[in-house]
Every structure is written in C-alpha cells, then in structure tokens.
Amino acid sequence: MEQTTKNGRIPVVFLLKGLFFAYALTGVLLALLSFLLYKFGLGEKTVAIAIIVIYVAATFFAGFLAGKKMKSRKFLWGLAEGAAYFIVLALISFLAGDRTAVFGNTFFTTLALCAGGGMLGGMLG
C-alpha cells in the first residue's frame, strides 16, 4: 500500500506498524512496572496511575509516528492510532473474559485518554 493519502488510499500497513510499536512499548513499560511492583511493593493507586501513563505514552508515540509520516490532518491520524489502540485493548480484554474492564466505569475515560494521547502525538509529529 502507499504511504501517503494521495489518491484516497489509507496507509493500512503503516498504521498497523504504528499499532505494533505502541503495543511493543506498552509491553516493555508494563514489564518495567511489574519489576518495580515486585521490587518496591508499589500501592494499588500508584500502579493504576502508572498504567494510565503507559496507555497515554504508547498512544502518544504511535500518534507522533503517524503525524510524522502523514503531512496533512496529522491530528486525525493520531486520533485514529489512539482509537485503534483502544479498540484492540478492549477486544483483548473482552476475549480474555474480563467483562468489567471493557464495560466498566473506566471504559469511556480510557477511550478518551487513548484517543487524546494519539491525537496530541499526531499534532506534535
């Protein structure tokens, strides 16, 4: 597929690479968080805040990459990366059997954080 939006083509391969990068970064940061949790016995609130920061950081960098590649409407491409990240995250949680994580109180908050992080990254990219 083409890497630009000329001729109306959506760069699916590039967007998937951005998602892969975001999830790789998420995995590394969650592994670091689990090490810190093991080593220092972090509290529940600290871990919850760290997970939110990890989501926003991962979507920010995915949006940043999308904004760097796409020369127009960068914020929309970043928003798309953040929303896609959230959709995959929610789908995996749903398939894993954690219905409360998908349809709980934090559903729309997490969606807004992921989409907002991606959009901010796209604007700055």
Side-chain angles (χ1 to χ4, degrees):
M1 289 223 135
E2 256 182 56
Q3 294 296 321
T4 63
T5 59
K6 292 181 181 179
N7 300 330
R9 289 189 175 169
I10 297 174
V12 175
V13 173
F14 177 74
L15 294 175
L16 289 176
K17 285 180 184 179
L19 274 180
F20 177 76
F21 171 77
Y23 277 108
L25 180 61
T26 300
V28 169
L29 292 176
L30 286 176
L32 176 65
L33 178 62
S34 66
F35 173 75
L36 292 174
L37 178 63
Y38 171 74
K39 203 69 170 160
F40 300 110
L42 302 175
E44 187 176 332
K45 287 186 179 184
T46 305
V47 172
I49 291 170
I51 290 172
I52 290 169
V53 170
I54 289 170
Y55 288 164
V56 173
T59 56
F60 175 85
F61 284 115
F64 186 81
L65 291 175
K68 277 288 200 196
K69 186 68 176 174
M70 307 302 168
K71 300 301 181 195
S72 65
R73 298 182 183 165
K74 300 190 304 185
F75 70 98
L76 286 177
W77 291 108
L79 177 70
E81 285 282 5
Y85 179 93
F86 173 77
I87 290 169
V88 171
L89 185 70
L91 183 65
I92 290 171
S93 295
F94 183 77
L95 292 175
D98 190 5
R99 307 293 192 260
T100 60
V102 178
F103 301 110
N105 296 335
T106 61
F107 180 82
F108 291 108
T109 305
T110 306
L111 172 60
L113 288 169
C114 291
M119 186 167 58
L120 180 62
M123 287 190 289
L124 298 177

